[in-house]
């Protein structure tokens, strides 16, 4: 997934907001998950990419068996969804910074190759110029 610097800043703000919302009530957690879905949808639309499948599962409801559910199940389920969502957002941020480091490494490698070629050319010139000068002057 491609991102630019402004999108990463938004992502970091979203991650911070998600960490804070872990202590919120059920509705606050659900609102955060909805906000992540909207942000990811807009992010993918801007970059002309497909929305990852995990984004669609953020607002799923608890599965009830025999029309029965425990009292804690819904809040616990949404809390787990929030934790997974935060982990995936942090993974996106990590991938972005890893790609930035790889790109910087490529640039440094290219600069090193150029410097090596210049050094080699200077070495060849240092050897051949005195030889040519000696041959031409005699």
């Amino acid at each position: 997934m491609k991102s630019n610097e402004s999108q990463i800043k938004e992502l970091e703000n979203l991650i911070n907001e998600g960490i804070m919302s872990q202590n919120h009530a059920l509705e606050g957690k659900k609102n955060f998950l909805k906000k992540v879905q909207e942000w990811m949808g807009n992010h993918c639309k801007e970059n002309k990419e497909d929305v990852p499948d995990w984004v669609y599962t953020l607002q799923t409801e608890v599965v009830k068996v025999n029309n029965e559910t425990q009292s804690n199940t819904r809040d616990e389920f949404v809390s787990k969804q929030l934790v997974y969502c935060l982990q995936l957002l942090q993974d996106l941020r990590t991938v972005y910074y890893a790609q930035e480091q790889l790109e910087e490494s490529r640039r440094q490698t290219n600069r090193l190759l150029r410097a090596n070629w210049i050094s080699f050319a200077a070495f060849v010139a240092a050897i051949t110029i005195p030889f040519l000068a000696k041959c031409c002057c005699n």
Side-chain angles (χ1 to χ4, degrees), residues 1 36-44 51-52 54-55 89 92:
M1 179 171 258
V36 169
Q37 277 184 318
E38 291 172 359
W39 184 83
M40 284 296 295
N42 292 336
H43 176 75
C44 292
V51 178
W54 64 267
V55 175
L89 292 175
L92 286 175

Side-chain angles (χ1 to χ4, degrees), residues 80-92:
K80 286 182 182 178
Q81 286 288 88
L82 180 63
V83 169
Y84 298 144
C85 175
L86 282 172
Q87 183 60 49
L88 291 167
L89 292 175
Q90 289 169 344
D91 290 347
L92 286 175

Side-chain angles (χ1 to χ4, degrees), residues 101-116:
Q101 288 177 344
L102 283 172
E103 188 59 36
E104 180 60 29
S105 177
R106 281 190 204 107
R107 285 192 292 266
Q108 288 177 356
T109 301
N110 287 338
R111 284 192 294 259
L112 181 62
L113 287 173
R114 283 189 217 119
N116 284 341

Side-chain angles (χ1 to χ4, degrees), residues 55-70:
V55 175
Y56 295 112
T57 63
L58 290 177
Q59 293 285 0
T60 56
E61 291 294 324
V62 177
V63 176
K64 297 179 182 178
V65 178
N66 294 331
N67 292 330
E68 294 179 17
T69 183
Q70 297 175 353

Side-chain angles (χ1 to χ4, degrees), residues 18-35:
I19 291 170
M20 298 291 286
S21 69
Q22 286 180 322
N23 299 325
H24 292 167
L26 180 63
E27 287 304 313
K29 293 175 184 177
K30 290 172 82 175
N31 287 338
F32 173 74
L33 293 174
K34 184 176 181 178
K35 186 174 182 178

